[in-house]
Amino acid sequence: MTVSLGAPLRADDALSVPLGAPLRADDALSVPLRADDALSVPLRADDALLEQKRADTAPTESRGPALPPSPAPKSTPRTNRRLGIAAIVLSATAMGAAGLFGRKATPEGAVLGEALTLGRMAVGAIGMLVLIALSRRLGQLRRTRLSWSVVGGGVLLGLSLATYLSATVLTDLSRAVVLHYLGPVVATALARVFLKEKVGRLDALSIGTAFAGMLLAAGLVGGESSGGEHETLGTVLGAASGVFYGAALLCYRYRTDMPSDVRSLWNFVFGAVAAGGMVAVTRPDMSGMTATNWLWAGGFFVVCGLFALGLLVVAGKHLRAAELSGLSYLEVVVALMIGVVAFGESVTVLAAAGAGLIVVAMALPMLGRR
């Protein structure tokens, strides 16, 4: 085979070279190898040294400036729908017990929703900090960037839980929880506007069914008003808690890149700030607190605070707003059952039918594969 000096190999020339045949040093200097030739023809040790020497002695300009490797593109955080469903079911169950703990922790005639929420958030923050420290991830707190959604989610949740807890004392437990659960409906509407999340037929059917069942379970349709002295104030506070809760749920759909325990910690911290501000304004009288009241308050801080709210953040990270809304209505059923067993609140046929509709609505989001 005759090759002119400096001429590149043609495809037929490349085929004429026996595979595995070693190149001589003069061949290596006179015949430039293409990238595919370099992969197919093995070099001997002395050939490799010669090539390295040529690369070292070549002018710097011929090789061009050394560029840093481009960063790998950021991938969308993966979600675990099953984990999200399990988290919201456990969270809603624990949250449904908030009325029980709140009433048992409150002395007769007192309204301590703000103070109890402050303790709930403070204990949750301390608990999450301990868990992060035990896992040796305190450095991640310094590296995590805060944003408006993290701060806003905690503040709004603190306001929501404080007004809701006061509403449970001033009006029927079932009515308070129904008004509080205007939140998921508000969150779904806001997610449609700000996050452009689509509300499918199954999602809309789930939310509509749950809302109708909620109205029946609370006695707002076909029921009678309790006519309590502070019922109007309790109704207003319950409605306010629902609006705050819906806005908080929307905030959880942002910053899904943040680890759940870190997000929970900041959630508790800023929730405590909001509840502390309400305590400073309302100055609740806690002089009537007994040892039994404090015992129930401690259970409230752990069960309805650290456990329930920590899992709520996990659920918000892995579920869409419509799914989160439908499944979170389980709290209404739990609160209804607690009202009957612990406080003797009556359940009509319509209320029982409403609870059944809520259970059906909870199952609907799980029927579709996302």
Side-chain angles (χ1 to χ4, degrees), residues 40-51:
S40 61
V41 181
L43 295 178
R44 295 176 306 188
D46 51 348
D47 295 330
L49 292 174
L50 185 58
E51 289 294 325

Side-chain angles (χ1 to χ4, degrees), residues 292-345:
T292 302
N293 293 137
W294 281 112
L295 184 63
W296 280 99
F300 172 72
F301 298 157
V302 175
V303 175
C304 303
L306 178 61
F307 181 76
L309 299 181
L311 289 176
L312 181 62
V313 173
V314 176
K317 181 178 179 180
H318 293 283
L319 295 177
R320 296 179 301 112
E323 294 175 319
L324 193 67
S325 299
L327 291 168
S328 61
Y329 281 114
L330 174 62
E331 181 179 342
V332 179
V333 179
V334 174
L336 182 67
M337 295 174 61
I338 289 176
V340 173
V341 175
F343 304 109
E345 295 182 0

Side-chain angles (χ1 to χ4, degrees), residues 139-206:
Q140 194 163 14
L141 290 177
R142 297 190 299 269
R143 296 190 298 269
T144 301
R145 178 181 59 86
L146 294 179
S147 62
W148 68 267
S149 61
V150 178
V151 177
V155 170
L156 290 167
L157 185 64
L159 295 174
S160 171
L161 297 178
T163 50
Y164 166 60
L165 205 59
S166 295
T168 62
V169 177
L170 296 172
T171 187
D172 289 343
L173 182 57
S174 58
R175 174 163 298 190
V177 74
V178 163
L179 293 171
H180 177 69
Y181 267 88
L182 289 172
V185 179
V186 172
T188 302
L190 293 177
R192 180 70 181 89
V193 174
F194 294 103
L195 298 178
K196 308 304 178 184
E197 286 190 358
K198 295 182 179 179
V199 181
R201 294 180 179 178
L202 200 62
D203 296 328
L205 180 61
S206 172

